[in-house]
Amino acid sequence: MRLSQFHLHTEKETPAEAEIVSHKLMLKAGMIRKLAAGLYTWSPLGLRVLRKVENIVREEMTRAGAIETLMPTIQPRELWEETGRWQKFGGQLLKIEDRKEAGYCYAPTAEEVITDFARHELSSYKQLPVNFFQIQTKFRDEIRPRFGVMRAREFLMKDAYSFHLDEASLQAEYRNMYQAYSRIFTRLGLKFRAVFADTGAIGGSASHEFHVLADSGEDAIAFSDASDYAANVELAEAVSPGERPTATESMRRIDTPTQKTCEDVAALLDVALDRTVKSVAMMGEDAEGNPQFVLALVRGDHAVNEIKLSKLPGLADYRLANEHEIRDHLGATPGFLGPLDPAKPIRVIADRGVAAMADFVVGANQDGFHLAGVNWGRDLPEPETADIRNVVEHDPSPDGRGRLGIARGIEVGHVFALGDRYSKAMACTVLDAGGKPVNPLMGCYGIGVSRIVAAAIEQSHDEAGIRWPAAMAPWQAAICLINPKNNPEVAEAAEALYRDLNAAGIDTVLDDRGLRPGAMFADIELIGIPHRVVVSERGLAAATFEYRRRDAGEPETLDRETLLTRLHS
C-alpha cells in the first residue's frame, strides 16, 4: 500500500470529546469517526487493525474445532420470550417493530437464535459435540455510551456456542475454548489474565473472564503472587482469618455525637480502623418470601460485595433499606447502626472477618452513640457467617498459595458453561444412545473484537501515539521516502525496498506523500507502525538506511542485509 493512494487523515489536536487514551488516539489517528452516541465508522486504517484481530480470532477458533456460521442481527421477540429474557435483559435490549408490528430486537447476543438453530438441525447424540461461532455486529443500548469503542452501543463480537450430551463433554470444550482464548491473546501480543468471574445475565455454572491488563481498566482483578490464581474482585473469595481472639474488654457505650463513619469513630477512639464494624441495612426475603430486614456487617476497612450478597438465600433481589425501615427496625439513623438490641427482629449476616473479631466497635442503635468492647457470644448471639466482602491487597490467596495483589483490567473475552438453561427453556432435544430425548448442555464463548483494539492501545502507548503489538499493527513496517530534490534513484530505491519487504512477507506501507520528515514521522509514530525505515539521498549514497523501532529511543543506520535481518527478527 502507498499512502499517496490511501485514506489517512490524522489530527494534530486531541479531540475534546475523548475521555480515555484509546478514544483520544483512535480519533487522533483517524481510525474511527463518531456517527452518533456509541456509534462509530471505522476508517480504512482502523479497519485494517480490526481485521488483523478478527483474522487471528477466526484462525484460532477454527484450529480449536469450532465451525463458523452467521446468524441474523435482527431477532424475533418470540425466541426471547421463550427464555424469559425479553423483559429480564433490561433496557440494553433495543426493541423494534416491523411494518406488521411484529416485535424484534437487535442482537446483543445469540443464545436464543443458536438454540433455535440447534433444535431444528441437531437430532442425535451422534452429532455432538459441536461448536458454532460467528464474528458479527452486536448492539446493546448502553445508558451512557462512552470511551469510544470501549463502551460503544454497536460493536464487533465473536460469539460461539457449543452443544454436548453430558457434563464431561461440556467441561472438555470449556477447557478447549479457554486454551484457544489464551492462544488468541498471546498471538495478539497482549498482557492478559484469565480470571474466575460471575456468570451475570448470561447465566450458567462456570465462568472465566479474560482481561487485558491496563491501569485504565474498569474491572479490578485479584491475583496471587505465588500461583496462577486470579479472579474478578467481585468473585474472589476472602479467606477466613482464623480463630477468634479471646475477649479482653467489657462492653461500654461511647459518646459519638457527630462521628457517623468508621473512619471518624476510629479516629475519635484512637483505634485501628480494622477494629470497627460497618453495618449495611437492606431488605430481603425470608424463607416464606415475606419482606425481611437484614443487617450485613463488614470490617470498617472493608467494603460489602454486592454480588456475593445477592447469592445468599433471600437476597437475590435485595435492596438497601430506606430511612423509615431503618428507624422502624433499629430505632436509629444511619451512622449509628449495629446488631445489638434491635427494635424488631432482624437477620444479621457477619462477614467472616467480622465473625472472627473480638472487642470490636459498632453502632449502638442510638443516635450519637457507639459501643466498644463488643464480643460475640457474650454481648450478642453468634452470627450467621458468610463471605460478603471484597478482597483487598495482601489478603491470603484462596488457593493457599501466596498473597493477593489487585490490578486493573479491561474485559475482552468471556467463557461460560451454560448447562441446559437455554436448551430446556426452548425445548431443544436430541436422542441419546438409548433413544431417549435429552436437553443438550451448552457452552457460550465471547470475544469483544472491536474492544480488543481499544484495550491494546490502553495497554501500550506513549506521548507520540499508539504502540501496536506486531500482530495488530496496520502494517509491520513503513518506508518513509525523503526526496526533496525528486531524485529518481531515491524513489526507485524506496520502491525496490517496498517490493522486496512485501515479497518477503513483511506487511509494508510506502509513505510517498511528499511530506516534510517531521510531519511524516509524527504520523507514522501516531498510528503505531512497529518499524520505520527512511530512504534518502544521503543514505542511498552510503548504501544504508535509517531504521527505528517504534519502542526504541534513537534511530540506527543499517545496511540492507542487517535491515532485513532486523525486520525479520
Side-chain angles (χ1 to χ4, degrees), residues 174 195-200 204-209 211 219-222 229-239 305-311 352 387-391 398 404 414-415:
Y174 188 95
V195 304
F196 296 109
D198 185 67
T199 54
S205 58
S207 173
H208 279 83
E209 292 173 353
H211 287 258
D219 295 297
I221 302 165
Y229 176 84
N232 196 301
V233 163
E234 68 187 16
L235 196 68
E237 180 185 2
V239 177
N305 183 306
E306 296 179 2
I307 298 295
K308 292 179 180 179
L309 268 179
S310 68
K311 293 183 178 181
R352 292 170 175 173
D387 172 21
I388 60 171
R389 72 169 175 91
N390 288 332
V391 295
L404 293 180
H414 211 153
V415 293

Side-chain angles (χ1 to χ4, degrees), residues 115 163 419-429 439-442:
T115 306
F163 295 83
D420 63 1
R421 172 179 174 179
Y422 294 92
S423 59
K424 183 175 289 186
M426 297 183 67
C428 173
T429 62
N439 300 115
L441 303 180
M442 293 175 59

